[in-house]
Amino acid sequence: MRYPATAARIISLLTLSGVARRSPSHLASAFAPGISFAASYEYSTSSTSLFSIVDEVTAEMKTAMKAKDTTTLGTIRLMRSAFANAQIEEKTDALTDEQAINCLRKMAKMRQESIGMFKDGGAEDRAAAEQAELDVIGRWLPQLADEETTRSWVVEAIEGAGVAGDMSKMGMVMGALMKNHKAELDGKLAQKIVKEELSK
């Protein structure tokens, strides 16, 4: 059975914008009681998501325009520009989620560095503006692993490669970590822990 046009449109927009990240089925029951939401419409942040990160960002831009949210809108326009440049660099018509995340990580890193510089220079207003943009970008970035989780991955990688105590194999260990946990790994934290664990 199909949803009434209005209900289907609202559910679609809310799902695209990330409001219903785990599952939009509860939205369906609210707008169309008694109608089960199609399993194929399930949404998640995994690689099997129905909508890509680029699609989500585009949908959110429309929402920001309607809400006249200038901070979100301005940041998303910068994100879309970065995506377009990445497409040219990658020679592709559409970025994968991994490529989009890499692009957003670079944007986030730039703003984190700028925030520190502005705060050191006493430009708190500029730092706040950069933080606002960082917050918007962060909506589409997976959470990085904490120190405890990262250390467990490092230990596992060292043991798997059989290179305990061999500091010359740091590159090998980092390569294994990036291969298995790239989207969730804080590179600087990982390097610090790898050095600590290999020096034991």
Side-chain angles (χ1 to χ4, degrees), residues 116-153:
M117 291 174 59
F118 286 135
K119 284 185 175 180
D120 290 343
E124 294 295 334
D125 56 336
R126 298 288 297 277
E130 292 289 310
Q131 182 63 56
E133 290 188 359
L134 180 59
D135 291 342
V136 175
I137 294 168
R139 296 179 195 176
W140 288 276
L141 285 175
Q143 185 175 357
L144 295 177
D146 59 18
E147 183 170 349
E148 181 180 357
T149 300
T150 302
R151 190 175 296 278
S152 69
W153 290 343

Side-chain angles (χ1 to χ4, degrees), residues 143-160 173 176-178 180-186 190 193-194 197:
Q143 185 175 357
L144 295 177
D146 59 18
E147 183 170 349
E148 181 180 357
T149 300
T150 302
R151 190 175 296 278
S152 69
W153 290 343
V154 169
V155 171
E156 181 181 358
I158 291 173
E159 293 178 349
V173 176
L177 289 170
M178 293 299 289
N180 296 322
H181 309 288
K182 185 176 181 179
E184 305 164 280
L185 195 67
D186 181 329
I193 294 175
V194 170
E197 292 297 326

Side-chain angles (χ1 to χ4, degrees), residues 57-181:
V57 170
T58 299
E60 188 65 19
M61 182 177 72
K62 296 175 183 177
T63 302
M65 288 177 67
K66 291 179 180 179
K68 296 183 179 180
D69 183 344
T70 56
T71 298
T72 298
L73 182 59
T75 306
I76 286 179
R77 282 175 173 159
L78 292 174
M79 291 163 63
R80 283 168 54 80
S81 178
F83 290 155
N85 290 335
Q87 281 183 237
I88 294 173
E89 292 176 3
E90 299 290 343
K91 298 179 180 179
T92 180
D93 292 331
L95 295 180
T96 64
D97 278 358
E98 181 178 356
Q99 290 171 328
I101 287 173
N102 288 339
C103 190
L104 296 179
R105 288 253 186 252
K106 292 177 183 178
M107 294 183 70
K109 182 178 180 181
M110 289 175 61
R111 280 152 184 80
Q112 288 167 342
E113 292 174 348
S114 295
I115 289 170
M117 291 174 59
F118 286 135
K119 284 185 175 180
D120 290 343
E124 294 295 334
D125 56 336
R126 298 288 297 277
E130 292 289 310
Q131 182 63 56
E133 290 188 359
L134 180 59
D135 291 342
V136 175
I137 294 168
R139 296 179 195 176
W140 288 276
L141 285 175
Q143 185 175 357
L144 295 177
D146 59 18
E147 183 170 349
E148 181 180 357
T149 300
T150 302
R151 190 175 296 278
S152 69
W153 290 343
V154 169
V155 171
E156 181 181 358
I158 291 173
E159 293 178 349
V163 296
D166 189 348
M167 189 65 73
S168 69
K169 300 299 183 182
M170 182 174 177
M172 178 187 294
V173 176
M174 285 299 299
L177 289 170
M178 293 299 289
K179 180 181 179 181
N180 296 322
H181 309 288

